[in-house]
Amino acid sequence: MLIILLIITAAFFLLYLIYLIFFWQWEKNCQPFYNEDKTLVFGHRGSPSLVTENTLPGFQKAIDQGVDGLEFDIRLSADGQIVVFHDSNLSRLSSQSDKISKLMLAELQAVELQGSENQLQGVYIPSLNDIIPLFDYVKVLNIEIKSDGFFKGHDILKPLIKFLNKHQIDDKCIVSSFNPLILMRLRLKRPETVIGFLYDRKRLFHGWHNMIWMFRVQPENLHIHYSMLDHWIVRWARKKGMRINSYTINDKNVFNNADIDGLFTDNIKYLK
């Protein structure tokens, strides 16, 4: 009798799994910034081939080049302020090596960053609030939450949610991260947020790993490297009604042959 009960339980579980994988659809927030006839072009950290990444002049340059959207990274300073910066420390872009999380906002904004070739103006680290005036000049923003570990970086959610609630930019904002636990917590705390699930291919059986997390997060978009656009997970995401945004496409041939909804690029003028 016990064996029969176990077989029935296993069969029900298998049928439920098949239902989830092949048939179940989760509700998705509206994304009015997509155009069915045109791929969205995001300036990846601004226009980093011309101006230092994740800076106000870099974002302005991307806007001047005609991007549809801006993509940028956020971290938390020592005094709990959201700053726009990619790395966990300053070493790659300045003469200092301090960690972002160990410095106050004022200290971070006093650090002059290295300029790109032929760049004349000085550039500094902006806060998220500093970027607000640029919001009206683009169709869409992609805010990527940086995290240095599965259980790290979660403190940024509270001030980020406060920022999103205050400025009400849900009709033009995607929040993404490689940390699925952060995304799951964001979904639970603020369901109206449009989420971009950044695909992590560093895991064993990464396709199944990411699929399971997408069931938990229930994102609107899959963000995936262009080298993986032929992977089964992309076809699966399409069937689930997700938009596909790809990074970092700098080659026009790759762009022309990619079936995607949006792309992140360093070479805006070349692709536009």
Side-chain angles (χ1 to χ4, degrees):
M1 184 67 181
L2 179 60
I3 295 176
I4 294 174
L5 183 61
L6 289 173
I7 292 173
I8 293 173
T9 302
F12 271 110
F13 176 77
L14 182 60
L15 288 172
Y16 180 64
L17 194 61
I18 291 172
Y19 166 74
L20 287 179
I21 293 173
F22 295 103
F23 302 103
W24 180 61
Q25 296 275 356
W26 56 85
E27 186 177 348
K28 298 173 182 64
N29 292 309
C30 180
Q31 302 186 81
F33 38 82
Y34 281 108
N35 184 331
E36 300 301 331
D37 301 320
K38 183 176 177 289
T39 303
L40 283 177
V41 175
F42 291 82
H44 180 235
R45 307 180 201 169
S47 185
S49 62
L50 299 176
V51 183
T52 305
E53 65 182 55
N54 281 324
T55 61
L56 290 176
F59 296 136
Q60 186 59 59
K61 185 64 177 179
I63 291 170
D64 293 342
Q65 291 178 293
V67 291
D68 301 301
L70 296 174
E71 185 272 350
F72 54 88
D73 311 285
I74 60 170
R75 291 182 175 274
L76 210 58
S77 66
D79 52 344
Q81 300 299 307
I82 299 177
V83 296
V84 179
F85 201 77
H86 179 275
D87 299 354
S88 62
N89 61 66
L90 294 164
S91 60
R92 181 170 63 90
L93 290 178
S94 80
S95 58
Q96 298 180 212
S97 59
D98 306 78
K99 285 192 171 184
I100 301 299
S101 61
K102 299 300 182 182
L103 296 180
M104 303 290 192
L105 174 62
E107 293 175 304
L108 288 168
Q109 296 198 305
V111 177
E112 184 169 0
L113 303 179
Q114 295 171 3
S116 301
E117 187 178 357
N118 300 321
Q119 183 178 321
L120 300 177
Q121 62 195 124
V123 285
Y124 300 86
I125 299 171
S127 70
L128 183 55
N129 287 324
D130 292 333
I131 301 178
I132 293 172
L134 302 178
F135 289 0
D136 290 337
Y137 297 95
V138 290
K139 295 178 182 177
V140 57
L141 307 161
N142 187 98
I143 302 174
E144 181 181 340
I145 301 173
K146 302 307 293 184
S147 170
D148 301 319
F150 193 66
F151 297 104
K152 296 180 179 179
H154 294 243
D155 289 346
I156 204 169
L157 284 177
K158 186 175 180 179
L160 177 60
I161 288 172
K162 183 178 179 180
F163 178 90
L164 295 174
N165 287 340
K166 178 180 179 180
H167 296 286
Q168 291 297 309
I169 53 174
D170 296 304
D171 62 340
K172 64 186 308 175
C173 181
I174 302 168
V175 178
S176 64
S177 181
F178 276 107
N179 188 326
L181 187 57
I182 284 180
L183 294 180
M184 186 177 77
R185 291 187 64 193
L186 177 61
R187 174 63 78 210
L188 292 171
K189 290 175 178 291
R190 197 173 188 277
E192 64 268 35
T193 304
V194 173
I195 289 178
F197 185 97
L198 271 162
Y199 187 94
D200 182 0
R201 55 180 174 173
K202 296 179 181 179
R203 304 278 182 171
L204 188 65
F205 304 115
H206 51 78
W208 290 97
H209 169 87
N210 284 277
M211 184 183 71
I212 290 169
W213 270 110
M214 278 188 270
F215 280 131
R216 302 295 302 276
V217 173
Q218 299 178 25
E220 282 75 19
N221 305 319
L222 172 62
H223 294 184
I224 193 165
H225 192 266
Y226 69 87
S227 64
M228 296 195 66
L229 289 175
D230 60 348
H231 194 274
W232 65 265
I233 199 74
V234 174
R235 296 188 293 274
W236 177 83
R238 282 277 189 215
K239 290 180 180 179
K240 290 299 181 184
M242 296 168 64
R243 299 280 190 171
I244 308 298
N245 298 321
S246 185
Y247 65 91
T248 303
I249 297 181
N250 296 322
D251 187 300
K252 203 159 191 174
N253 289 326
V254 174
F255 174 39
N256 291 337
N257 292 301
D259 179 19
I260 52 179
D261 299 290
L263 66 91
F264 306 99
T265 183
D266 300 326
N267 295 331
I268 300 162
K269 188 175 181 179
Y270 175 58
L271 293 190
K272 289 288 286 187

